[in-house]
Amino acid sequence: MRWVRLNAATLGADPDRIGLIGSSAGGHLALLAALRPNAPAHHGTPILDSNGRAAACDEVDASVDYVIALWTPADPLARQRYAERAGLENLQNAGRAYFGEDAALQDASIPRIVTSGEAEALPPILLVQAGADGNVPAELTLDLVRAYEARDGKVELAYFPRMAHAFGHSASPETTDMIALATDFARRHSR
């Protein structure tokens, strides 16, 4: 986010109107970045400006106006447990390869971060859930909805009952509908 703000003129972007969108693990990362925009762990990270100079720019705000998270595993530990119960070795291996131990999976849980009060910000979020998603059960998304609403966060849920994980990567009437919903959400929540 700091890089985008520093390079907004070159990108033709408005540095005061930025949202994030991500699908699957990318949605999880977008949510983490939005909830912890100025995390101390990121302080001191060198960022290239439009002139190619690298410097820490901790004074540049990293917050966002909104997040659109598509079929996202918002709770990595709950998803890991689901993958173990369902015998989905590829998901089990991916979760362990990225996060390692259960403590890291739990630390990255978006519902836990929200419920515990660790979230620095609660921007409006749009969650897109596929009803036939074998990678991300709807219950994980509903847990995030409940946590967000309990903290008075603005959350919208778009549910596509017969669609599979990552359905938006292929042309379909549902993909067209999802794009329209996401576009409308972004328009309504840009400052």
Side-chain angles (χ1 to χ4, degrees):
M1 293 312 307
R2 289 182 177 96
W3 182 87
V4 169
R5 283 207 165 86
L6 288 172
N7 292 281
T10 302
L11 296 169
D14 181 343
D16 295 322
R17 296 176 57 184
I18 299 175
L20 296 174
I21 185 169
S23 69
S24 198
H28 178 256
L29 292 173
L31 288 165
L32 278 176
L35 296 181
R36 295 175 168 168
N38 297 299
H42 299 146
H43 289 178
T45 302
I47 299 170
L48 289 177
D49 65 17
S50 59
N51 297 314
R53 292 183 302 252
C57 300
D58 299 338
E59 72 284 356
V60 177
D61 182 32
S63 65
V64 299
D65 294 313
Y66 61 87
V67 176
I68 301 169
L70 314 172
W71 42 87
T72 188
D75 186 336
L77 183 59
R79 209 277 275 275
Q80 187 72 21
R81 297 292 181 255
Y82 159 75
E84 291 166 359
R85 286 190 311 275
L88 302 171
E89 289 187 27
N90 61 332
L91 292 182
Q92 292 175 54
N93 294 339
R96 290 290 176 209
Y98 187 81
F99 289 102
E101 301 299 317
D102 283 1
L105 288 157
Q106 179 67 15
D107 184 58
S109 167
I110 302 300
R112 185 200 63 74
I113 291 167
V114 171
T115 302
S116 69
E118 292 176 31
E120 178 187 334
L122 291 175
I125 59 175
L126 170 62
L127 301 171
V128 174
Q129 176 65 43
D133 193 331
N135 289 353
V136 181
E139 189 57 38
L140 270 66
T141 301
L142 294 174
D143 286 346
L144 175 53
V145 169
R146 287 187 285 269
Y148 226 73
E149 288 177 341
R151 290 288 182 178
D152 295 325
K154 294 179 182 176
V155 59
E156 295 178 28
L157 174 62
Y159 184 69
F160 291 83
R162 292 176 299 282
M163 302 311 291
H165 188 79
F167 74 87
H169 297 180
S170 301
S172 72
E174 291 82 2
T175 297
T176 301
D177 290 346
M178 183 210 44
I179 291 169
L181 287 168
T183 302
D184 176 65
F185 183 85
R187 224 178 257 122
R188 287 186 287 117
H189 294 289
S190 294
R191 292 183 219 166

